[in-house]
């Protein structure tokens, strides 16, 4: 099996639980560290799938790796090589396929419920799950590409996930580990405590019942990732 290429944009926003899932299923993977100067590959052929993680930048920023990344996503989808996006990664997928990335009505930072959309595509990904608590960390949102089906939403962000066949783009973070939650809240502590938005939790709130929350989220991630890997090349 070809390795899965995982694109990282910030050291503390790595693959998290997704890497654990791949290891548990004996699937090889390669980390491409955009944050340290790695460049996106020109050709998708060496990889069995592409996975894009989160990051603090916007896909609308003038950064040298964005256009090559968008081209790579389009290339993978054209060749039916599965693509998976988390937050920034989901926005990259949306933009590559004709979606628009804009400011969300509010920032979402911390734990919050999301609802599974009532349609056959969503059911194929989530089966009997109708709602779950996940982690959020974003100020922007994507519109749905023309070919996509919305499969997840929240009260503060209509488009939380979309699917196109086996390709899955998410605004929320299902890849979280306990360590990641603590690192994000620690690094951004000053910013968080200065915000006065009901959709932004304090570090203490983010870390409340953390082990239980992460364990439950891992179970949801297991279901999504298990479906996604069925199409790996």
């Amino acid at each position: 099996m070809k390795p899965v290429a995982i694109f990282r944009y910030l050291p503390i926003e790595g693959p998290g639980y997704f890497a654990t899932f791949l290891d548990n299923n004996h699937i090889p993977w390669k980390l491409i560290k955009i944050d340290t100067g790695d460049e996106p590959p020109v050709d998708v052929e060496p990889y069995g799938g592409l996975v894009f993680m989160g990051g603090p930048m916007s896909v609308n920023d003038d950064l040298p790796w964005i256009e090559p990344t968008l081209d790579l996503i389009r290339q993978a989808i054209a060749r039916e090589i599965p693509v998976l996006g988390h937050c920034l990664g989901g926005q990259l997928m949306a933009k590559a396929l004709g979606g628009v990335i804009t400011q969300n009505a509010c920032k979402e930072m911390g734990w919050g419920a999301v609802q599974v959309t009532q349609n056959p595509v969503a059911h194929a990904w989530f089966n009997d799950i109708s709602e779950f608590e996940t982690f959020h960390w974003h100020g922007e949102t994507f519109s749905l590409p023309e070919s996509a089906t919305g499969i997840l939403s929240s009260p503060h962000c209509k488009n939380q996930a979309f699917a196109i066949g086996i390709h899955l783009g998410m605004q929320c973070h299902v890849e979280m580990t306990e360590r990641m939650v603590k690192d994000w809240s620690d690094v951004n502590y000053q910013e968080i405590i200065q915000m006065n938005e009901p959709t932004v939790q304090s570090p203490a709130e983010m870390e409340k019942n953390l082990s239980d929350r992460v364990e439950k989220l891992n179970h949801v991630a297991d279901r999504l990732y298990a479906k996604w890997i069925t199409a790996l090349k």
Side-chain angles (χ1 to χ4, degrees):
M1 178 181 287
K2 296 178 180 179
V4 172
I6 303 177
F7 296 81
R8 191 188 73 183
Y9 303 97
L10 193 70
I12 62 171
E13 296 201 35
Y17 183 71
F18 179 68
T20 300
F21 178 88
L22 292 182
D23 290 342
N24 289 343
N25 286 274
H26 310 290
I27 295 171
W29 54 279
K30 177 182 178 181
L31 186 62
I32 298 175
K33 304 174 184 178
I34 302 298
D35 52 89
T36 65
D38 290 352
E39 295 183 0
V42 175
D43 189 359
V44 73
E45 191 59 32
Y47 303 104
L50 303 182
V51 181
F52 301 91
M53 305 314 300
M57 62 288 294
S58 169
V59 301
N60 296 321
D61 291 342
D62 184 18
L63 298 168
W65 51 264
I66 288 183
E67 283 303 323
T69 299
L70 301 180
D71 290 341
L72 195 67
I73 291 170
R74 288 188 283 261
Q75 184 186 140
I77 290 176
R79 297 190 192 183
E80 298 185 346
I81 295 172
V83 183
L84 174 64
H86 303 79
C87 201
L88 174 70
Q91 294 173 358
L92 286 164
M93 290 177 65
K95 185 168 183 176
L97 299 171
V100 178
I101 314 305
T102 58
Q103 287 293 317
N104 195 43
C106 60
K107 288 189 175 183
E108 284 189 293
M109 301 172 76
W111 295 93
V114 288
Q115 291 75 43
V116 177
T117 310
Q118 296 302 304
N119 61 54
V121 175
H123 181 72
W125 282 94
F126 291 100
N127 196 2
D128 59 340
I129 298 174
S130 60
E131 181 179 87
F132 62 94
E133 185 182 52
T134 187
F135 201 72
H136 305 273
W137 203 281
H138 70 106
E140 294 186 314
T141 183
F142 50 68
S143 67
L144 297 181
E146 186 175 344
S147 54
T149 300
I151 62 172
L152 206 61
S153 65
S154 74
H156 305 291
C157 182
K158 179 181 178 181
N159 297 324
Q160 283 283 357
F162 66 85
I164 303 172
I166 198 61
H167 312 294
L168 175 64
M170 294 176 284
Q171 185 60 71
C172 56
H173 291 273
V174 301
E175 79 281 13
M176 301 306 292
T177 63
E178 291 184 51
R179 181 73 268 156
M180 290 170 72
V181 172
K182 291 177 181 178
D183 285 347
W184 293 13
S185 63
D186 287 348
V187 169
N188 298 279
Y189 181 83
Q190 289 301 325
E191 177 188 5
I192 295 168
I193 61 174
Q194 290 173 10
M195 291 183 184
N196 187 28
E197 294 189 52
T199 52
V200 176
Q201 294 179 342
S202 69
E205 289 175 306
M206 291 180 191
E207 297 181 26
K208 186 178 180 180
N209 300 324
L210 186 55
S211 295
D212 183 58
R213 283 171 146 170
V214 168
E215 183 179 1
K216 289 178 180 177
L217 183 57
N218 290 164
H219 290 314
V220 176
D222 281 337
R223 181 163 297 183
L224 298 176
Y225 295 156
K227 178 175 175 60
W228 185 80
I229 64 171
T230 61
L232 292 176
K233 304 299 183 183

